[in-house]
């Protein structure tokens, strides 16, 4: 999952404090880029993309964003955003004055077609300095839709624990490996039992579940890059395509082919 990002972006909309501009937007085609630094801003943010894949990383979670999934970033949540390959990013920033009824924590969600249409409409406003009554009415409907967002399960919990971090970094750089927990415990200089306990304590899931979720999120990323199901299955170390499809469908409720089609 390591990529040499060629471009660093500095987008300042999230730092604006201005109730007269309750929602500002940014939409652009980006290639092989990342935000200049990990950052936090007073405005909450929706991160989505109409094409391609975006990776969003916070202190405790990693999310893969595609055309079927967005991420809500709460106000003042430190995060970093990566745009591998070609991405059409679609994002909105919500002023602090409008956050009372909106989620207080960050999470991934599956946007409704109505929410997507509202966001596209607001982008067409082109961030005016003065919002008309029509603008304001649409913004209020948009904010009401945001208040109903519910988290999806497509995320990877992370941890600052030193031993856990060693193992997670190794897993993310060895996507096709078939090593057991014993192998990774030796890398972190702890016993398998200790590592298993740390996974449950720090990440809320077992070593095997985290490893499977990592592979599935990478699968979603590669589907967005138009790789074939067969190519993805073998690249992620599955014995055969059928076992990969079965695991994917059990987790997402759809086959890989159906998942990426709106």
């Amino acid at each position: 999952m390591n990529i040499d990002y060629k471009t660093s972006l500095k987008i300042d909309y999230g730092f604006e404090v201005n109730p007269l501009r309750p929602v500002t937007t940014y939409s652009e085609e980006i290639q092989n880029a990342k935000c200049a630094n990990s950052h936090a801003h007073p405005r909450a943010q929706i991160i989505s993309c109409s094409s391609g894949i975006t990776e969003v990383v916070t202190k405790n979670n990693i999310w893969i964003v595609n055309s079927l999934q967005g991420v809500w970033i709460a106000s003042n949540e430190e995060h970093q955003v990566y745009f591998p390959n070609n991405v059409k990013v679609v994002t909105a920033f919500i002023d602090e004055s409008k956050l009372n009824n909106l989620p207080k924590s960050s999470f991934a969600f599956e946007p409704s077609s109505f929410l997507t249409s509202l966001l596209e409409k607001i982008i067409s406003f082109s961030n005016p300095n003065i919002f008309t009554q029509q603008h304001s009415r649409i913004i209020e409907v948009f904010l009401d839709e945001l208040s109903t967002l519910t988290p999806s399960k497509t995320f990877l919990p992370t941890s600052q624990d030193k031993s856990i971090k060693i193992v997670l970094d190794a897993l993310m750089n060895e996507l096709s490996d078939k090593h057991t927990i014993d192998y990774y415990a030796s890398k972190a200089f702890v016993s398998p039992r200790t590592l298993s306990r740390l996974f449950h304590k720090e990440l809320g899931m077992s070593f095997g579940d985290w490893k499977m979720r990592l592979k599935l999120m990478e699968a979603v990323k590669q589907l967005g890059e138009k790789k074939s199901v067969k190519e993805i299955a073998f690249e992620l170390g599955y014995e055969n395509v059928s076992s990969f499809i079965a695991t994917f469908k059990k987790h997402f409720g759809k086959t890989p082919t159906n998942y990426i089609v709106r």
Side-chain angles (χ1 to χ4, degrees):
M1 296 178 74
N2 291 332
I3 297 174
D4 181 20
Y5 292 94
K6 304 298 183 184
T7 304
S8 293
L9 304 175
K10 192 172 188 298
I11 303 167
D12 294 329
Y13 289 112
F15 297 93
E16 180 180 6
V17 178
N18 184 358
L20 297 179
R21 299 211 316 162
V23 177
T24 49
T25 60
Y26 173 80
S27 180
E28 188 173 350
E29 291 187 5
I30 301 171
Q31 182 176 8
N32 196 17
K34 66 176 181 177
C35 288
N37 297 293
S38 181
H39 58 284
H41 37 66
R43 288 195 172 216
Q45 182 180 6
I46 277 184
I47 301 174
S48 64
C49 49
S50 58
S51 63
I53 295 292
T54 298
E55 182 179 358
V56 182
V57 180
T58 64
K59 181 179 179 181
N60 296 314
N61 288 297
I62 301 170
W63 292 286
I64 298 296
V65 180
N66 58 25
S67 60
L68 302 177
Q69 180 167 269
V71 168
W72 169 262
I73 299 293
S75 173
N76 295 311
E77 171 90 67
E78 185 171 349
H79 60 287
Q80 176 61 295
V81 188
Y82 301 91
F83 309 96
N85 301 310
N86 295 297
V87 181
K88 176 65 180 294
V89 63
V90 179
T91 185
F93 301 87
I94 297 89
D95 190 75
E96 286 181 296
S97 63
K98 296 294 185 180
L99 297 180
N100 285 343
N101 297 320
L102 299 186
K104 303 298 187 289
S105 59
S106 303
F107 55 82
F109 65 93
E110 296 177 4
S112 66
S113 57
F114 183 48
L115 180 63
T116 300
S117 296
L118 285 169
L119 182 53
E120 290 173 353
K121 182 65 175 178
I122 294 169
I123 287 171
S124 74
F125 298 166
S126 300
N127 295 326
N129 289 321
I130 300 175
F131 280 61
T132 67
Q133 288 187 350
Q134 181 194 34
H135 292 159
S136 297
R137 287 194 295 269
I138 292 173
I139 291 293
E140 289 304 316
V141 175
F142 177 66
L143 295 174
D144 190 55
E145 280 296 297
L146 293 182
S147 71
T148 67
L149 294 179
T150 56
S152 74
K153 296 180 179 180
T154 310
F155 71 97
L156 274 175
T158 61
S159 171
Q160 301 304 307
D161 179 90
K162 184 177 178 181
S163 296
I164 287 285
K165 194 171 186 308
I166 289 171
V167 174
L168 300 190
D169 287 347
L171 285 168
M172 286 189 283
N173 286 306
E174 301 172 1
L175 288 167
S176 64
D177 88 274
K178 299 175 183 176
H179 295 304
T180 65
I181 191 172
D182 299 61
Y183 169 83
Y184 288 100
S186 67
K187 277 183 171 287
F189 301 103
V190 297
S191 70
R193 178 174 292 183
T194 296
L195 183 59
S196 177
R197 178 178 55 79
L198 283 172
F199 261 77
H200 283 284
K201 177 184 176 183
E202 297 288 327
L203 305 176
M205 63 180 64
S206 70
F207 168 84
D209 285 343
W210 197 96
K211 185 177 179 181
M212 179 191 69
R213 191 174 290 193
L214 169 66
K215 288 177 181 283
L216 291 174
M217 288 187 65
E218 180 65 15
V220 169
K221 176 176 175 289
Q222 292 189 24
L223 285 168
E225 295 168 351
K226 310 302 182 184
K227 290 187 178 181
S228 71
V229 173
K230 182 178 180 180
E231 184 180 5
I232 295 169
F234 289 117
E235 191 167 322
L236 296 181
Y238 284 87
E239 294 289 344
N240 54 67
V241 177
S242 297
S243 61
F244 165 63
I245 292 174
T247 301
F248 192 99
K249 186 175 182 180
K250 182 178 180 180
H251 186 81
F252 292 111
K254 301 177 181 178
T255 65
T257 302
N258 290 333
Y259 180 86
I260 208 64
V261 176
R262 287 190 76 92

